[in-house]
Amino acid sequence: MESLPSPFGDPAPNLSDSELRETAYEILVAACRTTGSRPLTFIPQSPKSDRSNGAASLSASPSLHRSLTSTAASRVKKALGMKKRGGGGDVTEGESSGQPDRVKKSVTVGELVRVQMRISEQIDSRIRRALLRIASGQLGRRVETMVLPLELLQQLKATDFPDHEEYISWQRRNLKLLEAGLIVHPHVPLSKSDKSVQQLKQVIRTGLERPLDTGKITGESQNLRSVVMSLATRSNNDGIGPDTCHWADGFPLNLRIYQMLLESCFDVNDELSVVEEVDEVLELIKKTWPVLGMNQMVHNVCFLWVLFNRYVATGQVENDLLVAAHNLILEVESEAKETNDPKYSKISSSVLSLILDWAEKRLLAYHDTFNIDNVETLETTVSLGISVAKVLGEDASSEYRRKKKNVDSGRDRVDTYIRSSLRMAFSQTKKMVEHSKRSKSRQSSTSNLPALATLAEDIGHLAFNEKAIFSPILKNWHPLAAGVAAATLHSCYGTELKKFVSGITELTPDAIRVLTAADKLEKDLVQIAVQDAVDSDDGGKSVIREMPPFEAEVVIGNLVKSWIKTRVDRLKEWIDRNLQQEAWNPKLNKLGIAPSSVDVLRMVDETLEAFFLLPILLHTVLLPELTLGLDKCMQHYVSKAKSSCGSRNTFLPALPALTRCTVGSRLHGVFKKKEKPMAASNRRKSQIGTSNDSAEILQFCCRINTLHYIRTEIESSGRKTLNRLPESDIAAFDGKAKIFEQSIGYCSKGVQQLSEATAYKIVFHDLSNVLWDGLYVGEVSSSRVESFLQELERCLEIISSSVHDRVRTRVISDIMRASFDGFLLVLLAGGPSRCFTVQDSDAVDEDFKFLCDLFWSNGDGLPLDLIEKVSTTVKSILPLLRTDTDSLIERFKAVCLENHGSDRGKLPLPPTSGPWSPTEANTLLRVLCYRYDESATKFLKRTYNLPRKLT
């Protein structure tokens, strides 16, 4: 059986269908008790009296009258086997189910609804008992002025349930319902400043962990009532009474609950049958409207969905259900014109869109669904799809819309259905022909070419069948149905014919057979289109224009395009194959580039040269197609060249969790003894990894040089190519994008990415043992920056000697940025192995000056103004290290309160976001975390309970 997604979504994923059904029943019972003296009771009456009540019901519900009490609906009831079961309210289950030996049982409508909703008598009794208790204390109070789950929670106790587990489950269900109705899907949007939301969430979390004491006089109960009523009594001045409580009328929760109620209209023992008392059941359901925020229009949309969904879910065998749904669509269409309610529009759009999707899934491929035996069903389905589309205003765009101001939406829709379905039918016919040819083929590899001749014959038969079977029905909405079908088949076959022609270099007997068959097919299709358009306004010219002739003149153009595609594909394959073997060794040639880049540029030039030697007059027209293909190939080369190198973020280490210093620990002799073997191990790792790291750095340099080289050469090649065109054609290119412009920009971005990746790999990966794992570990005085500077200088020497001088400054600048970032990370996120005193600030300042001096290199390195610009952030942070602890704490408090406020007098933990800054709370906090000072440690322990080490 086919199933459709709900148009209302899953507004309460924590609540099962059975829980929502029980909630719906509780609302129904409560609504009936507060609106009538004998709730949920249908009193049997004489046939005359019964009909008069039914007429009153239908008078209040015109859409229901159309959908279920019209002539079509009478056929629904008759077809579904629904008979009069007794008089008025007598329901004979044996008769309704068609089982002759079943015991007859008379039940009221209320009892019928309970059975239909699968609610046990025990649950029903408990609900009514609770409602009696509510009524005894709040006489005359309407159901919409109370929050029913809250009242039930306070009226029912564990002793009202057969076992404690059922009570707990019931209590949790009501708490989750409050969360769904008041927080997740509130009727009035929540304010971020409303503390009741968090309070209710906390109560619900507590209730889900352990049973709540919800008695009337308990503290938990009073707290729950306070926050629930605070949220439920909010109003958005929408005309609803001021006493109304909003807990179940938020979209789409209310629709999901209402759907549960409407499902009770179908016989629980026979999913195809609507209960005989459907009118009376719906009258009861309407009593829930004030609670659920429903009205007649929304009811019509919901009932439409229930009817349609039941038709689909039951195998689409009861067509009268579809007829009833279609009648409701007409009512919805009328109502949609009379309202501007955005909520209603959203609901109806959601429901109708699903219906339209279902209909179009069949209509867009109607050759798969309909045939000569069931073609009459096509008319009903088309009518449904067009009606829904008209409501939604989703008229398909076409050339007819551009020519006429008032184009019927049915015509546009059917036009789309014809074209889509025939394209699919053409594809299926083509596959069958190809399969048949393969199974019978006993000749050479060229024996499959005449398959196009056979396909032309089969498509001709398909066109005549379309004209005889489907076009007469579709012509009710589209006057040129057969002509559009012919034009669509003409287009599909023309595409295949072009593929065939592009694969040949000379006319062969097979080619002649194919072209002859194509010519006959074209004549047949044009004849169908012309005959179909005899009575049209333009004589069918609009359709004929969609059928460009199968002329041989297009052969040359297709051959050239095929040649271009072959060359481009071959070049791309060469790139894939050779880049897998590329060593990226800058020492293989004087330019320090990959040999494959020289070869690929040579192949590009050879392709351009061969193109201009072709004996054609279309060089200017087809050149953009060639250069675009070559441009994409070069972009592919660049992408492959940098794909495995990562980026800046690839090498940045993850920030460790915040900790606080253990004052007194770093002066112990034991600590110092443990640091010495660690440093020795780091030195050994540095020596072992030197050759590998150097090789990887050289590979990165080679890639950077290669992309720079490609950018320079491809730009020059573009200028040369443009100069080969006639002067008049060159003028036509003015103002357009440069040849290979995409590749040029791609190379520039690739150099930038590789430069940053190289820099951050060197600093955070290759030199991690002397920076991240070594700098300032233990005491600052014994682990300063000298080791890092020595290793970094070695890397800079490699870079300077390997990278092209035009990009050298960029790479070294990126290494400087990475080094400064690493220096700051050590100071602000170096982990519990680091701590700093105020006295250490002088050493840190001096180390950073040494680092800057390395890049300045006595004037032989980077410009001073560039160094100053990049070092601004570090220099703004360093003064914090010499600031006394108390001042830091006060400054942190002030910044934190200003930017983040306080939570009940407590300072919130500032987020780790944005760049480091001396005026940013997270930066100040991290300075305190690494401050070797008793005051800092106590402050962090007292304020955030930070640990002294990572766990």
Short mmCIF file of all heavy atoms in Angstrom, two decimals, residues 385-427:
data_model
loop_
_atom_site.label_atom_id
_atom_site.label_comp_id
_atom_site.label_asym_id
_atom_site.label_seq_id
_atom_site.Cartn_x
_atom_site.Cartn_y
_atom_site.Cartn_z
N GLY A 385 -5.98 16.98 -10.38
CA GLY A 385 -4.72 17.71 -10.40
C GLY A 385 -4.89 19.16 -10.80
O GLY A 385 -4.30 20.06 -10.20
N ILE A 386 -5.74 19.41 -11.78
CA ILE A 386 -5.94 20.78 -12.24
C ILE A 386 -6.68 21.61 -11.19
O ILE A 386 -6.37 22.79 -10.97
CB ILE A 386 -6.70 20.77 -13.58
CG1 ILE A 386 -5.78 20.22 -14.67
CG2 ILE A 386 -7.19 22.16 -13.94
CD1 ILE A 386 -6.44 20.07 -16.02
N SER A 387 -7.65 20.99 -10.53
CA SER A 387 -8.39 21.72 -9.50
C SER A 387 -7.47 22.15 -8.37
O SER A 387 -7.52 23.29 -7.89
CB SER A 387 -9.53 20.85 -8.95
OG SER A 387 -10.47 20.56 -9.96
N VAL A 388 -6.63 21.23 -7.92
CA VAL A 388 -5.69 21.56 -6.84
C VAL A 388 -4.70 22.61 -7.31
O VAL A 388 -4.39 23.57 -6.59
CB VAL A 388 -4.95 20.28 -6.37
CG1 VAL A 388 -3.89 20.65 -5.35
CG2 VAL A 388 -5.94 19.29 -5.77
N ALA A 389 -4.19 22.46 -8.52
CA ALA A 389 -3.23 23.43 -9.04
C ALA A 389 -3.84 24.81 -9.15
O ALA A 389 -3.17 25.82 -8.91
CB ALA A 389 -2.72 22.97 -10.41
N LYS A 390 -5.10 24.86 -9.48
CA LYS A 390 -5.78 26.15 -9.60
C LYS A 390 -5.85 26.83 -8.24
O LYS A 390 -5.66 28.06 -8.13
CB LYS A 390 -7.18 25.95 -10.17
CG LYS A 390 -7.92 27.25 -10.44
CD LYS A 390 -9.28 26.97 -11.07
CE LYS A 390 -10.02 28.28 -11.37
NZ LYS A 390 -11.36 28.02 -11.95
N VAL A 391 -6.13 26.07 -7.19
CA VAL A 391 -6.17 26.64 -5.85
C VAL A 391 -4.79 27.15 -5.44
O VAL A 391 -4.62 28.22 -4.88
CB VAL A 391 -6.69 25.61 -4.83
CG1 VAL A 391 -6.69 26.20 -3.42
CG2 VAL A 391 -8.09 25.15 -5.21
N LEU A 392 -3.79 26.35 -5.73
CA LEU A 392 -2.44 26.72 -5.33
C LEU A 392 -1.87 27.84 -6.19
O LEU A 392 -0.88 28.47 -5.84
CB LEU A 392 -1.52 25.50 -5.41
CG LEU A 392 -1.78 24.40 -4.39
CD1 LEU A 392 -0.91 23.18 -4.68
CD2 LEU A 392 -1.51 24.90 -2.99
N GLY A 393 -2.47 28.05 -7.36
CA GLY A 393 -1.96 29.09 -8.25
C GLY A 393 -0.64 28.70 -8.88
O GLY A 393 0.20 29.56 -9.16
N GLU A 394 -0.44 27.38 -9.08
CA GLU A 394 0.83 26.90 -9.63
C GLU A 394 0.70 26.62 -11.13
O GLU A 394 0.87 25.51 -11.59
CB GLU A 394 1.28 25.63 -8.91
CG GLU A 394 1.61 25.84 -7.46
CD GLU A 394 2.01 24.54 -6.81
OE1 GLU A 394 1.90 23.49 -7.47
OE2 GLU A 394 2.42 24.57 -5.65
N ASP A 395 0.37 27.64 -11.88
CA ASP A 395 0.22 27.44 -13.32
C ASP A 395 1.58 27.24 -13.96
O ASP A 395 2.48 28.04 -13.78
CB ASP A 395 -0.47 28.65 -13.95
CG ASP A 395 -1.85 28.89 -13.37
OD1 ASP A 395 -2.44 27.94 -12.84
OD2 ASP A 395 -2.32 30.04 -13.46
N ALA A 396 1.74 26.17 -14.74
CA ALA A 396 3.02 25.89 -15.40
C ALA A 396 3.28 26.94 -16.47
O ALA A 396 2.39 27.35 -17.21
CB ALA A 396 3.00 24.50 -16.02
N SER A 397 4.53 27.40 -16.57
CA SER A 397 4.88 28.41 -17.58
C SER A 397 5.17 27.73 -18.91
O SER A 397 5.74 26.66 -18.96
CB SER A 397 6.10 29.20 -17.11
OG SER A 397 7.18 28.34 -16.92
N SER A 398 4.77 28.36 -19.99
CA SER A 398 5.01 27.82 -21.33
C SER A 398 4.98 28.97 -22.33
O SER A 398 4.69 30.11 -21.97
CB SER A 398 3.96 26.77 -21.69
OG SER A 398 2.71 27.40 -21.85
N GLU A 399 5.24 28.66 -23.59
CA GLU A 399 5.22 29.72 -24.60
C GLU A 399 3.80 30.25 -24.83
O GLU A 399 3.61 31.39 -25.24
CB GLU A 399 5.78 29.20 -25.92
CG GLU A 399 4.92 28.14 -26.59
CD GLU A 399 5.47 27.75 -27.95
OE1 GLU A 399 6.51 28.30 -28.33
OE2 GLU A 399 4.88 26.89 -28.61
N TYR A 400 2.79 29.43 -24.52
CA TYR A 400 1.43 29.91 -24.67
C TYR A 400 1.14 31.05 -23.70
O TYR A 400 0.41 31.99 -24.01
CB TYR A 400 0.45 28.76 -24.42
CG TYR A 400 0.65 27.61 -25.37
CD1 TYR A 400 1.26 26.44 -24.95
CD2 TYR A 400 0.26 27.71 -26.70
CE1 TYR A 400 1.46 25.38 -25.83
CE2 TYR A 400 0.45 26.65 -27.58
CZ TYR A 400 1.05 25.49 -27.14
OH TYR A 400 1.25 24.46 -28.01
N ARG A 401 1.71 30.99 -22.52
CA ARG A 401 1.52 32.06 -21.53
C ARG A 401 2.12 33.37 -22.05
O ARG A 401 1.60 34.45 -21.81
CB ARG A 401 2.17 31.67 -20.20
CG ARG A 401 2.19 32.82 -19.19
CD ARG A 401 2.79 32.38 -17.86
NE ARG A 401 1.90 31.47 -17.19
CZ ARG A 401 0.85 31.84 -16.47
NH1 ARG A 401 0.56 33.13 -16.35
NH2 ARG A 401 0.08 30.97 -15.87
N ARG A 402 3.22 33.29 -22.74
CA ARG A 402 3.87 34.50 -23.25
C ARG A 402 3.08 35.13 -24.40
O ARG A 402 3.20 36.31 -24.67
CB ARG A 402 5.29 34.16 -23.72
CG ARG A 402 6.22 33.76 -22.58
CD ARG A 402 7.65 33.70 -23.06
NE ARG A 402 7.87 32.63 -24.02
CZ ARG A 402 8.24 31.39 -23.68
NH1 ARG A 402 8.38 31.08 -22.40
NH2 ARG A 402 8.44 30.46 -24.60
N LYS A 403 2.25 34.32 -25.06
CA LYS A 403 1.52 34.82 -26.23
C LYS A 403 0.13 35.30 -25.88
O LYS A 403 -0.45 36.12 -26.60
CB LYS A 403 1.43 33.73 -27.30
CG LYS A 403 2.80 33.36 -27.86
CD LYS A 403 2.68 32.20 -28.82
CE LYS A 403 4.04 31.79 -29.36
NZ LYS A 403 3.96 30.62 -30.24
N LYS A 404 -0.46 34.76 -24.81
CA LYS A 404 -1.82 35.14 -24.43
C LYS A 404 -1.86 35.60 -22.99
O LYS A 404 -1.20 35.04 -22.13
CB LYS A 404 -2.77 33.94 -24.61
CG LYS A 404 -2.90 33.49 -26.06
CD LYS A 404 -3.94 32.40 -26.19
CE LYS A 404 -4.14 31.99 -27.65
NZ LYS A 404 -5.18 30.95 -27.79
N LYS A 405 -2.64 36.62 -22.75
CA LYS A 405 -2.71 37.17 -21.40
C LYS A 405 -3.44 36.22 -20.45
O LYS A 405 -3.08 36.07 -19.29
CB LYS A 405 -3.42 38.53 -21.43
CG LYS A 405 -2.64 39.59 -22.18
CD LYS A 405 -3.37 40.92 -22.12
CE LYS A 405 -2.59 42.00 -22.86
NZ LYS A 405 -3.29 43.31 -22.81
N ASN A 406 -4.51 35.58 -20.92
CA ASN A 406 -5.32 34.72 -20.06
C ASN A 406 -5.20 33.28 -20.55
O ASN A 406 -5.95 32.84 -21.42
CB ASN A 406 -6.78 35.16 -20.08
CG ASN A 406 -6.94 36.57 -19.52
OD1 ASN A 406 -6.35 36.92 -18.51
ND2 ASN A 406 -7.74 37.39 -20.21
N VAL A 407 -4.21 32.59 -20.02
CA VAL A 407 -4.00 31.19 -20.39
C VAL A 407 -4.62 30.32 -19.32
O VAL A 407 -4.33 30.48 -18.14
CB VAL A 407 -2.49 30.88 -20.53
CG1 VAL A 407 -2.30 29.43 -20.92
CG2 VAL A 407 -1.87 31.79 -21.58
N ASP A 408 -5.47 29.39 -19.72
CA ASP A 408 -6.13 28.51 -18.76
C ASP A 408 -5.09 27.64 -18.07
O ASP A 408 -4.25 27.02 -18.72
CB ASP A 408 -7.15 27.63 -19.49
CG ASP A 408 -7.87 26.72 -18.52
OD1 ASP A 408 -8.39 27.20 -17.52
OD2 ASP A 408 -7.88 25.50 -18.79
N SER A 409 -5.15 27.58 -16.74
CA SER A 409 -4.16 26.79 -15.99
C SER A 409 -4.25 25.32 -16.35
O SER A 409 -3.26 24.61 -16.31
CB SER A 409 -4.38 26.99 -14.49
OG SER A 409 -5.65 26.49 -14.10
N GLY A 410 -5.47 24.85 -16.68
CA GLY A 410 -5.61 23.45 -17.09
C GLY A 410 -4.79 23.15 -18.32
O GLY A 410 -4.16 22.10 -18.43
N ARG A 411 -4.76 24.09 -19.25
CA ARG A 411 -3.98 23.90 -20.48
C ARG A 411 -2.49 23.80 -20.16
O ARG A 411 -1.79 22.93 -20.68
CB ARG A 411 -4.25 25.06 -21.43
CG ARG A 411 -3.38 25.05 -22.67
CD ARG A 411 -3.82 26.12 -23.63
NE ARG A 411 -2.97 26.17 -24.82
CZ ARG A 411 -3.33 26.70 -25.97
NH1 ARG A 411 -4.55 27.21 -26.09
NH2 ARG A 411 -2.50 26.74 -26.99
N ASP A 412 -2.02 24.68 -19.30
CA ASP A 412 -0.60 24.64 -18.95
C ASP A 412 -0.22 23.34 -18.28
O ASP A 412 0.83 22.76 -18.55
CB ASP A 412 -0.26 25.82 -18.03
CG ASP A 412 -0.40 27.15 -18.74
OD1 ASP A 412 -0.29 27.16 -19.98
OD2 ASP A 412 -0.63 28.17 -18.07
N ARG A 413 -1.08 22.90 -17.35
CA ARG A 413 -0.80 21.65 -16.64
C ARG A 413 -0.78 20.47 -17.59
O ARG A 413 0.14 19.65 -17.56
CB ARG A 413 -1.86 21.43 -15.55
CG ARG A 413 -1.68 22.32 -14.36
CD ARG A 413 -0.61 21.77 -13.44
NE ARG A 413 -0.14 22.82 -12.55
CZ ARG A 413 0.83 22.66 -11.67
NH1 ARG A 413 1.45 21.52 -11.57
NH2 ARG A 413 1.21 23.65 -10.91
N VAL A 414 -1.79 20.34 -18.41
CA VAL A 414 -1.86 19.22 -19.33
C VAL A 414 -0.70 19.25 -20.32
O VAL A 414 -0.16 18.21 -20.70
CB VAL A 414 -3.23 19.22 -20.06
CG1 VAL A 414 -3.24 18.18 -21.18
CG2 VAL A 414 -4.34 18.94 -19.07
N ASP A 415 -0.30 20.44 -20.71
CA ASP A 415 0.87 20.57 -21.58
C ASP A 415 2.10 19.93 -20.93
O ASP A 415 2.85 19.19 -21.57
CB ASP A 415 1.13 22.05 -21.88
CG ASP A 415 2.22 22.26 -22.90
OD1 ASP A 415 3.41 22.20 -22.52
OD2 ASP A 415 1.90 22.47 -24.08
N THR A 416 2.27 20.22 -19.64
CA THR A 416 3.40 19.64 -18.90
C THR A 416 3.27 18.13 -18.80
O THR A 416 4.25 17.39 -18.97
CB THR A 416 3.47 20.25 -17.49
OG1 THR A 416 3.63 21.67 -17.60
CG2 THR A 416 4.64 19.68 -16.71
N TYR A 417 2.04 17.62 -18.53
CA TYR A 417 1.84 16.17 -18.40
C TYR A 417 2.17 15.46 -19.72
O TYR A 417 2.83 14.41 -19.72
CB TYR A 417 0.39 15.88 -18.01
CG TYR A 417 -0.06 16.52 -16.71
CD1 TYR A 417 -1.40 16.85 -16.50
CD2 TYR A 417 0.85 16.79 -15.70
CE1 TYR A 417 -1.82 17.44 -15.32
CE2 TYR A 417 0.44 17.39 -14.52
CZ TYR A 417 -0.90 17.71 -14.33
OH TYR A 417 -1.31 18.30 -13.17
N ILE A 418 1.70 16.02 -20.83
CA ILE A 418 1.93 15.38 -22.13
C ILE A 418 3.43 15.29 -22.42
O ILE A 418 3.94 14.22 -22.79
CB ILE A 418 1.21 16.17 -23.24
CG1 ILE A 418 -0.30 16.08 -23.06
CG2 ILE A 418 1.62 15.64 -24.61
CD1 ILE A 418 -1.09 16.98 -23.99
N ARG A 419 4.11 16.38 -22.24
CA ARG A 419 5.54 16.40 -22.58
C ARG A 419 6.34 15.45 -21.68
O ARG A 419 7.20 14.70 -22.15
CB ARG A 419 6.09 17.82 -22.46
CG ARG A 419 5.47 18.81 -23.45
CD ARG A 419 6.02 20.21 -23.27
NE ARG A 419 5.29 21.20 -24.06
CZ ARG A 419 5.55 21.46 -25.34
NH1 ARG A 419 6.53 20.83 -25.96
NH2 ARG A 419 4.84 22.37 -26.00
N SER A 420 6.05 15.48 -20.38
CA SER A 420 6.80 14.63 -19.46
C SER A 420 6.55 13.15 -19.73
O SER A 420 7.48 12.35 -19.82
CB SER A 420 6.41 14.97 -18.02
OG SER A 420 6.99 14.06 -17.11
N SER A 421 5.29 12.77 -19.86
CA SER A 421 4.96 11.36 -20.03
C SER A 421 5.49 10.81 -21.35
O SER A 421 5.98 9.68 -21.42
CB SER A 421 3.44 11.16 -19.95
OG SER A 421 3.13 9.79 -19.93
N LEU A 422 5.41 11.60 -22.40
CA LEU A 422 5.90 11.12 -23.70
C LEU A 422 7.42 11.03 -23.73
O LEU A 422 7.98 10.17 -24.41
CB LEU A 422 5.38 12.02 -24.82
CG LEU A 422 3.94 11.68 -25.25
CD1 LEU A 422 3.36 12.76 -26.12
CD2 LEU A 422 3.91 10.35 -25.98
N ARG A 423 8.08 11.90 -22.99
CA ARG A 423 9.54 11.76 -22.90
C ARG A 423 9.90 10.42 -22.25
O ARG A 423 10.83 9.73 -22.68
CB ARG A 423 10.14 12.92 -22.11
CG ARG A 423 10.14 14.24 -22.85
CD ARG A 423 10.98 15.27 -22.13
NE ARG A 423 10.80 16.61 -22.68
CZ ARG A 423 10.08 17.57 -22.12
NH1 ARG A 423 9.48 17.34 -20.96
NH2 ARG A 423 9.96 18.75 -22.68
N MET A 424 9.17 10.09 -21.18
CA MET A 424 9.42 8.81 -20.51
C MET A 424 9.07 7.63 -21.42
O MET A 424 9.79 6.64 -21.47
CB MET A 424 8.64 8.74 -19.21
CG MET A 424 9.08 9.74 -18.16
SD MET A 424 8.16 9.54 -16.62
CE MET A 424 8.83 10.92 -15.68
N ALA A 425 7.95 7.74 -22.13
CA ALA A 425 7.55 6.67 -23.04
C ALA A 425 8.57 6.50 -24.16
O ALA A 425 8.89 5.37 -24.56
CB ALA A 425 6.16 6.98 -23.63
N PHE A 426 9.09 7.62 -24.65
CA PHE A 426 10.14 7.55 -25.68
C PHE A 426 11.38 6.83 -25.14
O PHE A 426 11.95 5.97 -25.81
CB PHE A 426 10.51 8.96 -26.14
CG PHE A 426 11.61 8.99 -27.16
CD1 PHE A 426 11.31 8.91 -28.52
CD2 PHE A 426 12.93 9.09 -26.78
CE1 PHE A 426 12.33 8.92 -29.47
CE2 PHE A 426 13.95 9.10 -27.71
CZ PHE A 426 13.64 9.02 -29.07
N SER A 427 11.78 7.20 -23.92
CA SER A 427 12.96 6.57 -23.33
C SER A 427 12.77 5.07 -23.16
O SER A 427 13.68 4.28 -23.45
CB SER A 427 13.26 7.23 -21.98
OG SER A 427 14.38 6.63 -21.36
#
